[in-house]
Amino acid sequence: MEGSSSMLDAEAVADLVLLDPLTEESLVQTLQERFRRRDIYTYIGNVVISVNPYQSLPIYTPEKVEEYRNCSFFAVKPHIYAIADDAYRSLRDRDRDQCILITGESGAGKTEASKLVMSYVAAVSSKGEEVNKVKEQLLQSNPVLEAFGNAKTVRNDNSSRFGKYMDIEFDFKGEPLGGVISNYLLEKSRIVRHVKGERNFHIFYQLLAGASPQLLQQLKLRQDCGHYGYLDREGSSLPGMDDAANFHAMQDAMRIIGFSPTEVTELLQVTAVVLKLGNVQLSSSFQASGMEACSISEPQELHEICELIGLEPGTLERALCSRTVKARDETVLTTLTVPQGYYGRDALAKNIYSRLFDWLVKRINASIQVKSDKQRKVMGVLDIYGFEIFQDNGFEQFIINYCNEKLQQIFILMTLKEEQEEYVREGIQWTPVEFFDNSIICNLIENNTTGILAMLDEECLRPGVVNEDTFLTKLNQLLATHKHYESKETQNARRVTDASLPPRCFRIHHYAGKVTYNVTGFIEKNNDLLFRDLSQAMWAAQHALLRSLFPEGDPQKVSLKLPPTAGFQFKSSVAMLMKNLYSKNPNYIRCIKPNDTKSAMVFTPELVLAQVRYLGLLENVRVRRAGYAFRQLYGPFLQRYKMLNAQTWPRWDRGDREGTEVLLAGLEFPAEELAFGHTKIFIRSPRTLFDLERRRQERVAELATLIQKMFRGWRCRTQYQRMRKSQILISAWFRGHRQKNQYKQMKRSVLILQAYARGWKSRRLLRELKSQCRRHAAATTIAAHWRGYQARKTYRKYFRSSASTCLANFIYRSLVQKYLVGLAKNLPPLSVTDRTWPPAPYRFLDNTNQELKNIFYHWKCKKYRDQLSASRRAQLQARLCASELFKDKKTLYPKSLQQPFRGEYLGLKQNPKYQKLHAVAKDKLVLADSVRKVNRASGKVSTVGAKGDFLLVSDHLIELVTRLYQTFEATTGQALPLHITDRFSTRFPKGDVSITVVESPKASTNGPVCKKKGSNKMEVLVY
């Protein structure tokens, strides 16, 4: 360890291994003092502790990168660049695979730390077009994963809600070739609910804020975040974060990684589907059997979702509102209640997003993974959740803390292994270290038969009534005597009273402290069930990406086997991660959050102390300083402290170990404080090291005084010699300068005389040339005038005889040309309803103007008819027929002109009641509409009337009569007799009824109103 004076500052040591005395209070006080000095990084041996400053510091510049490049780990101030450089050089030069483990709670700066490590490795590795492309793809994976996997929490505005492990692969020269990303336990429950003051995943807000209006319209989204049930309706904007800019950055990152435009579009469509699922509302109803059922209350959102994914709305509605249960060879369709329907909807949204995130990681891996089979070196970067203790801890905290127990286990074992190997290498006797072995806690959780996860899986698979109470009862029976497990029942059995442990909870004594877990939700979150109907509905969609996310929905691959539980999957992932980490040389970065308010440079000792316990930092220091707290190679140690002994100062010509022994022998330290290894000197206590550093500082001050004295004498002698040489040089230069000036003056005078002489000669020649030009121009002018006079004299007699005719023809042609050119520039619009035409400017053009007007109008009409489609032509023919039948005959006909002829008003395709009728009519359908009947006795309008009804009322009367007229004429070849009147009578067995149609000034209902006036009269009010 090449410790500098700043690293050995007794008040704020840069390496906590040298802390004396070693207590929790002194450790936190040291971190606070360094934080006050803006030193946010501290060492525990080769472990880096990072305290989040919540502001940008000028310590990540390119100059800093060069400062830490190829530098000894302890030669400069603690920095994250130091551990990144040490890991990179070990990988490149010693051919040892590395991993960097970054842990800490939310808001401690883990994500930023992983970015800094990756950016440093990218900066110091080799350059080249292909290498730079790989670096850029690796770095650009961060914005994409942050958009889909990060969210604002109460503790952190950009909190990673998943664990990430990236293997960066290098070739033998240390150039990056690619990488592989693994993700762990995405917090998909955030999709459907999150704590007040937090946000959903960033991508939803970025999409709504940064997408263009065309893209939003394509995705059937609106820009208002408050419209969506899955988003925070109170405050969607985040101070200091530009969602629109981040969305564009995410799109650019996808382009750099290699996503095609089609893949980006499909990705955003599936994201929009998840967002819109939160707006699907259910309503309760009861079947004839009395059982409760649910249905879609507002089908608009459902239809838009189905349009995005290419699925029939009925298929998705059945999957959301009912469930197919298979028992042996029998299949039963059961309806769901509203709570069950909402559970299925939320489960579908969570599964779509979770699988979409897994697909996104696989797609990024497909772009950045190494394609060749060459031998590779690997550096892994693990960014994963820290130990969590909340007021209410659930299944997520249980899984996260289990992962941290495994990481603590690997940290302690790898650190002890490294220490023991170093002692053996150096020939120093190894003293066993007492430490808390947390393997008993790991076994309590992960044991295949009696572990908590195994019993949770067994309870999830057990037939019959299964709930958290039965699960907790089984835990109490099997783990009653375990010293790291307790619950209310086990305490009662031991006759222990503890009010802090409520019922339906159990407590585990973790390495970082006791954590109480509430079992509510354990069964549901571990099962993570998705109804088979929903999987099959997603597989039935035409959307390629969404369909690929649900392979189990294929009816050909239906399996009654239950999918693995969430706990089993995470346990397997952790086991693979531990195996991967054991195969590499570990490097550790422990991140600490200094305050809960995210305030810049504010340090809360109580909060930091809790994190120091969670991270086990005190235990780490004790393990690291077991035996000897300080060790260093003989060469650097002798180089730093050789001035303390006259025999080794200023130069030592023999071996480094011999020089170190001579140096320390003259300082008279106790023998038990020192140990000499093969290549390193070991010092037992920090106090001895600080005494050594104090003596060095005193000796350095003495040497500095001596150096200053010698330097001042040298400077005075050198200054005199420089002044003497300068005087001689100045004299020589001055004499040369004076001779040069005299020569330049003579040369300037000669040039002026030459210039005046050449100018006089040039001006005389110019005057002669100008005189010759004037004489030549005068002769040319006289000759031209003479030839013109002769020509005019010869042809004057022929001009006057035909002048009038030529002028008239010229004027006529000019007027016609002007008229035609002006008409071409002012042609009327091409609309067939526009009959305007510019008037003729002269009377002799009236007939021509009228003829051109007719030709132009006929040409416009022909061009309009040629553009009409067959359906539009038929519609206009129907309109023409209606005009012939009703124009000037029916008073309300002009008001119906704005109403288009649709033909089909019943929705035969969508309405199940008319599917049979639609199948019969199919291609023969002319008109489908509903009519209302008027009862002759009461005048009431109804959709279904009794015998004796005679008056039919329709909202589309003009279209109805026109279609009937056209069909009759096309079938029989004869015109349908049609009589239009506002007064008529009809005969019935009980007498005649006179009917009068009266126009009402305003509408009181949606249709005509029939009023009975006595027994033989009826009025129909229309508007």
Side-chain angles (χ1 to χ4, degrees):
M1 181 183 296
E2 297 181 13
S4 63
S5 59
S6 61
M7 296 183 66
L8 296 175
D9 186 349
E11 294 183 4
V13 291
D15 192 340
L16 295 179
V17 173
L18 305 178
L19 187 62
D20 191 27
L22 177 61
T23 62
E24 287 183 342
E25 291 74 16
S26 63
L27 193 151
V28 173
Q29 186 177 358
T30 301
L31 293 178
Q32 184 174 10
E33 177 62 23
R34 292 185 58 78
F35 189 74
R36 185 186 64 81
R37 301 180 184 182
R38 296 181 178 268
D39 292 329
I40 63 172
Y41 296 111
T42 309
Y43 289 151
I44 300 179
N46 57 357
V47 178
V48 175
I49 301 173
S50 171
V51 184
N52 192 350
Y54 286 114
Q55 71 176 32
S56 298
L57 296 178
I59 57 175
Y60 307 108
T61 59
E63 293 76 16
K64 283 290 182 182
V65 172
E66 291 301 321
E67 180 182 347
Y68 284 87
R69 185 173 186 173
N70 294 328
C71 185
S72 176
F73 189 81
F74 300 103
V76 288
K77 292 175 64 175
H79 201 289
I80 196 171
Y81 285 169
I83 193 171
D85 185 77
D86 186 64
Y88 176 70
R89 286 191 293 113
S90 297
L91 175 139
R92 182 193 62 191
D93 302 336
R94 303 176 198 166
D95 203 20
R96 298 176 62 188
D97 288 349
Q98 304 289 315
C99 65
I100 299 178
L101 282 67
I102 306 173
T103 56
E105 70 173 58
S106 178
K110 301 186 299 298
T111 301
E112 290 301 318
S114 65
K115 290 182 187 176
L116 290 171
V117 170
M118 294 175 62
S119 63
Y120 179 84
V121 173
V124 300
S125 56
S126 303
K127 303 294 187 293
E129 183 177 350
E130 189 63 28
V131 173
N132 288 337
K133 179 182 177 182
V134 172
K135 292 180 189 177
E136 192 65 17
Q137 287 183 336
L138 290 173
L139 294 176
Q140 291 301 325
S141 65
N142 283 321
V144 179
L145 293 178
E146 283 185 16
F148 285 87
N150 287 24
K152 175 191 180 299
T153 65
V154 293
R155 298 186 174 188
N156 185 6
D157 289 345
N158 188 31
S159 175
S160 297
R161 307 317 299 160
F162 69 103
K164 181 178 73 171
Y165 177 75
M166 172 182 281
D167 267 335
I168 308 173
E169 300 180 342
F170 300 82
D171 62 7
F172 70 97
K173 296 179 293 185
E175 295 179 356
L177 299 174
V180 179
I181 299 174
S182 303
N183 63 298
Y184 302 95
L185 195 66
L186 176 71
E187 188 191 11
K188 56 186 178 182
S189 60
R190 179 170 293 271
I191 290 292
V192 299
R193 67 182 66 87
H194 46 269
V195 179
K196 184 177 180 181
E198 296 187 351
R199 297 203 317 176
N200 213 315
F201 291 102
H202 290 328
I203 182 60
F204 299 120
Y205 306 94
Q206 293 177 5
L207 176 60
L208 298 182
S212 63
Q214 294 79 10
L215 180 57
L216 289 176
Q217 184 178 6
Q218 180 184 352
L219 299 177
K220 304 186 184 302
L221 297 175
R222 60 177 69 176
Q223 208 165 20
D224 180 19
C225 293
H227 175 69
Y228 298 100
Y230 282 161
L231 302 186
D232 185 6
R233 300 180 185 272
E234 297 179 358
S236 59
S237 61
L238 192 58
M241 183 177 290
D242 188 344
D243 289 323
N246 290 339
F247 179 73
H248 298 313
M250 185 268 294
Q251 287 183 310
D252 293 339
M254 283 186 171
R255 176 180 52 78
I256 293 173
I257 292 172
F259 281 76
S260 66
T262 302
E263 288 175 326
V264 175
T265 301
E266 291 182 346
L267 180 67
L268 295 180
Q269 285 175 341
V270 176
T271 305
V273 167
V274 174
L275 193 57
K276 294 177 72 65
L277 272 174
N279 286 5
V280 175
Q281 300 298 318
L282 304 176
S283 59
S284 178
S285 60
F286 289 91
Q287 297 179 324
S289 61
M291 295 183 62
E292 183 182 359
C294 67
S295 60
I296 306 297
S297 58
E298 293 292 339
Q300 179 64 26
E301 292 285 354
L302 186 72
H303 288 174
E304 291 181 353
I305 292 173
C306 292
E307 287 180 27
L308 282 174
I309 63 177
L311 183 66
E312 286 292 331
T315 303
L316 183 56
E317 183 175 0
R318 285 192 299 273
L320 288 173
C321 299
S322 60
R323 180 184 179 188
T324 303
V325 179
K326 290 187 177 181
R328 295 183 180 178
D329 298 332
E330 186 178 358
T331 301
V332 180
L333 182 66
T334 61
T335 58
L336 302 178
T337 63
V338 171
Q340 291 173 337
Y342 278 127
Y343 170 81
R345 180 201 69 176
D346 292 344
L348 177 61
K350 291 188 292 184
N351 270 271
I352 290 176
Y353 194 85
S354 176
R355 298 180 188 207
L356 178 67
F357 189 79
D358 292 338
W359 176 87
L360 183 66
V361 173
K362 291 179 182 177
R363 178 62 186 82
I364 294 175
N365 285 338
S367 294
I368 67 175
Q369 68 184 0
V370 182
K371 306 298 188 296
S372 64
D373 295 331
K374 298 179 181 178
Q375 185 176 3
R376 302 185 291 270
K377 305 174 183 179
V378 179
M379 177 187 290
V381 179
L382 177 65
D383 172 7
I384 203 163
Y385 351 81
F387 199 87
E388 291 186 352
I389 300 179
F390 296 146
Q391 191 69 28
D392 184 18
N393 302 285
F395 181 75
E396 291 84 358
Q397 283 69 44
F398 176 73
I399 291 295
I400 288 171
N401 292 344
Y402 160 60
C403 180
N404 277 271
E405 284 285 356
K406 297 293 289 183
L407 290 175
Q408 176 69 7
Q409 184 183 35
I410 191 175
F411 174 78
I412 295 296
L413 294 178
M414 295 292 281
T415 303
L416 285 174
K417 180 181 177 182
E418 183 181 352
E419 287 286 298
Q420 185 173 3
E421 288 177 351
E422 183 174 23
Y423 275 57
V424 172
R425 279 197 310 269
E426 295 297 325
I428 305 296
Q429 185 177 358
W430 168 253
T431 304
V433 180
E434 292 186 4
F435 66 97
F436 171 64
D437 185 2
N438 68 338
S439 59
I440 186 173
I441 302 176
C442 296
N443 189 61
L444 168 67
I445 298 174
E446 67 183 4
N447 187 279
N448 291 330
T449 56
T450 60
I452 295 177
L453 285 176
M455 285 187 280
L456 180 60
D457 289 346
E458 181 182 335
E459 198 66 15
C460 291
L461 299 175
R462 185 172 62 83
V465 179
V466 177
N467 54 44
E468 284 79 5
D469 293 330
T470 59
F471 167 62
L472 185 59
T473 301
K474 180 174 290 187
L475 290 182
N476 293 333
Q477 291 173 353
L478 295 178
L479 305 175
T481 59
H482 200 289
K483 63 180 180 179
H484 291 278
Y485 171 87
E486 60 180 342
S487 66
K488 201 69 177 177
E489 287 72 11
T490 60
Q491 286 184 347
N492 292 338
R494 300 170 189 168
R495 297 182 180 180
V496 175
T497 303
D498 186 358
S500 64
L501 183 59
R504 289 180 63 85
C505 295
F506 66 91
R507 180 179 292 162
I508 295 180
H509 298 209
H510 288 282
Y511 77 92
K514 299 179 181 180
V515 184
T516 302
Y517 299 101
N518 191 331
V519 297
T520 303
F522 263 57
I523 300 293
E524 175 188 337
K525 293 176 181 177
N526 190 52
N527 267 328
D528 194 22
L529 285 179
L530 180 67
F531 296 151
R532 186 180 294 109
D533 303 72
L534 293 171
S535 298
Q536 293 176 348
M538 294 300 100
W539 190 88
Q542 301 302 314
H543 196 279
L545 174 56
L546 184 63
R547 183 187 179 99
S548 68
L549 300 180
F550 292 87
E552 76 276 12
D554 187 354
Q556 305 299 326
K557 302 178 181 179
V558 173
S559 173
L560 296 179
K561 183 179 179 181
L562 290 175
T565 61
F568 178 81
Q569 295 180 50
F570 188 75
K571 176 183 172 183
S572 302
S573 300
V574 169
M576 291 179 61
L577 175 63
M578 295 301 114
K579 182 180 179 181
N580 199 352
L581 296 180
Y582 273 119
S583 66
K584 297 178 174 62
N585 183 54
N587 303 271
Y588 302 94
I589 301 175
R590 300 302 181 97
C591 299
I592 291 179
K593 181 172 68 173
N595 61 78
D596 275 328
T597 59
K598 294 176 267 192
S599 303
M601 302 310 295
V602 175
F603 193 95
T604 307
E606 297 79 11
L607 178 64
V608 174
L609 177 60
Q611 294 174 78
V612 166
R613 291 171 178 166
Y614 296 168
L615 296 172
L617 297 186
L618 196 64
E619 189 82 6
N620 297 350
V621 176
R622 290 191 178 122
V623 170
R624 178 66 185 178
R625 64 190 283 178
Y628 295 91
F630 178 83
R631 73 287 312 269
Q632 191 174 20
L633 294 172
Y634 288 121
F637 183 86
L638 181 62
Q639 186 66 25
R640 181 171 182 81
Y641 297 106
K642 63 181 180 180
M643 73 285 296
L644 298 181
N645 193 307
Q647 299 181 47
T648 57
W649 178 258
R651 185 177 292 105
W652 178 261
D653 297 327
R654 295 196 292 274
D656 292 337
R657 173 169 181 169
E658 184 181 354
T660 302
E661 291 175 348
V662 171
L663 169 65
L664 294 175
L667 298 178
E668 299 180 353
F669 286 119
E672 62 273 10
E673 282 292 311
L674 305 173
F676 295 92
H678 298 310
T679 62
K680 292 181 180 180
I681 174 66
F682 288 74
I683 298 178
R684 184 176 298 277
S685 66
R687 188 175 294 104
T688 302
L689 181 64
F690 287 130
D691 183 45
L692 191 65
E693 187 65 22
R694 179 185 56 79
R695 297 187 187 186
R696 178 183 179 277
Q697 291 176 356
E698 294 173 353
R699 179 58 178 161
V700 166
E702 296 174 0
L703 293 175
T705 305
L706 177 62
I707 292 172
Q708 287 175 350
K709 179 180 69 173
M710 300 300 293
F711 174 74
R712 290 192 184 102
W714 170 84
R715 186 174 60 182
C716 291
R717 289 190 298 273
T718 304
Q719 185 176 6
Y720 167 75
Q721 292 173 356
R722 279 204 308 267
M723 289 175 63
R724 184 172 181 275
K725 290 180 181 179
S726 299
Q727 187 272 332
I728 297 173
L729 185 62
I730 292 171
S731 298
W733 277 93
F734 177 74
R735 287 191 295 269
H737 175 70
R738 184 172 58 186
Q739 294 298 325
K740 289 177 185 177
N741 286 345
Q742 290 178 358
Y743 167 75
K744 289 179 181 178
Q745 184 64 32
M746 292 173 63
K747 183 179 179 181
R748 197 159 43 242
S749 301
V750 172
L751 291 176
I752 291 173
L753 290 174
Q754 290 177 348
Y756 273 101
R758 293 191 188 98
W760 175 79
K761 289 181 179 181
S762 298
R763 286 191 293 274
R764 186 177 65 176
L765 179 61
L766 179 62
R767 283 195 299 269
E768 292 177 358
L769 291 175
K770 285 184 177 179
S771 178
Q772 291 177 6
C773 288
R774 282 196 297 270
R775 289 195 296 270
H776 183 270
T780 303
T781 303
I782 293 170
H785 278 78
W786 172 251
R787 285 193 294 271
Y789 167 73
Q790 291 293 331
R792 288 191 295 275
K793 182 178 179 181
T794 303
Y795 292 101
R796 187 176 288 126
K797 59 183 178 180
Y798 298 109
F799 175 72
R800 291 179 181 176
S801 61
S802 59
S804 61
T805 304
C806 290
L807 286 173
N809 290 338
F810 175 76
I811 293 172
Y812 179 79
R813 286 195 299 271
S814 299
L815 292 176
V816 172
Q817 183 181 13
K818 182 179 179 181
Y819 162 67
L820 292 176
V821 171
L823 184 61
K825 293 181 179 178
N826 298 303
L827 285 176
L830 295 180
S831 173
V832 294
T833 59
D834 191 332
R835 299 298 293 269
T836 60
W837 185 260
Y842 309 103
R843 292 183 62 184
F844 72 88
L845 293 172
D846 287 342
N847 293 336
T848 302
N849 191 58
Q850 183 62 35
E851 195 66 29
L852 289 174
K853 176 181 178 181
N854 294 336
I855 292 172
F856 181 74
Y857 183 73
H858 283 85
W859 174 79
K860 284 199 301 185
C861 293
K862 182 179 183 306
K863 186 172 182 180
Y864 178 76
R865 291 194 300 273
D866 292 344
Q867 294 175 349
L868 292 176
S869 61
S871 60
R872 179 61 177 165
R873 191 186 296 272
Q875 190 176 19
L876 289 178
Q877 288 175 349
R879 280 292 189 183
L880 179 61
C881 179
S883 176
E884 293 173 353
L885 293 176
F886 294 101
K887 187 175 181 181
D888 299 329
K889 297 178 183 179
K890 181 171 174 60
T891 307
L892 299 180
Y893 172 70
K895 295 183 179 179
S896 68
L897 292 178
Q898 301 300 325
Q899 185 175 3
F901 285 3
R902 288 168 43 196
E904 209 282 287
Y905 295 92
L906 296 181
L908 297 180
K909 295 181 180 180
Q910 293 80 11
N911 198 326
K913 297 192 299 183
Y914 299 117
Q915 288 182 353
K916 184 176 181 181
L917 178 60
H918 175 64
V920 173
K922 205 155 188 184
D923 299 328
K924 302 176 183 178
L925 179 66
V926 177
L927 178 71
D929 192 10
S930 61
V931 297
R932 298 186 291 279
K933 300 180 181 180
V934 181
N935 189 281
R936 66 176 178 176
S938 62
K940 294 183 178 179
V941 180
S942 63
T943 57
V944 180
K947 182 177 180 182
D949 296 341
F950 68 93
L951 186 59
L952 303 179
V953 179
S954 173
D955 294 332
H956 312 96
L957 177 63
I958 303 298
E959 184 179 359
L960 175 62
V961 175
T962 302
R963 298 291 188 187
L964 182 62
Y965 183 90
Q966 286 181 317
T967 306
F968 185 85
E969 187 178 33
T971 305
T972 64
Q974 300 177 0
L976 177 68
L978 180 65
H979 180 60
I980 302 173
T981 180
D982 58 353
R983 185 187 300 275
F984 60 93
S985 62
T986 182
R987 183 178 299 278
F988 285 94
K990 293 184 179 181
D992 294 343
V993 177
S994 177
I995 301 173
T996 305
V997 180
V998 181
E999 184 175 0
S1000 176
K1002 64 178 181 177
S1004 58
T1005 62
N1006 293 332
V1009 178
C1010 300
K1011 295 184 178 181
K1012 195 72 179 292
K1013 301 290 186 177
S1015 61
N1016 296 321
K1017 291 184 180 181
M1018 180 180 294
E1019 285 185 357
V1020 180
L1021 302 181
V1022 297
Y1023 61 95

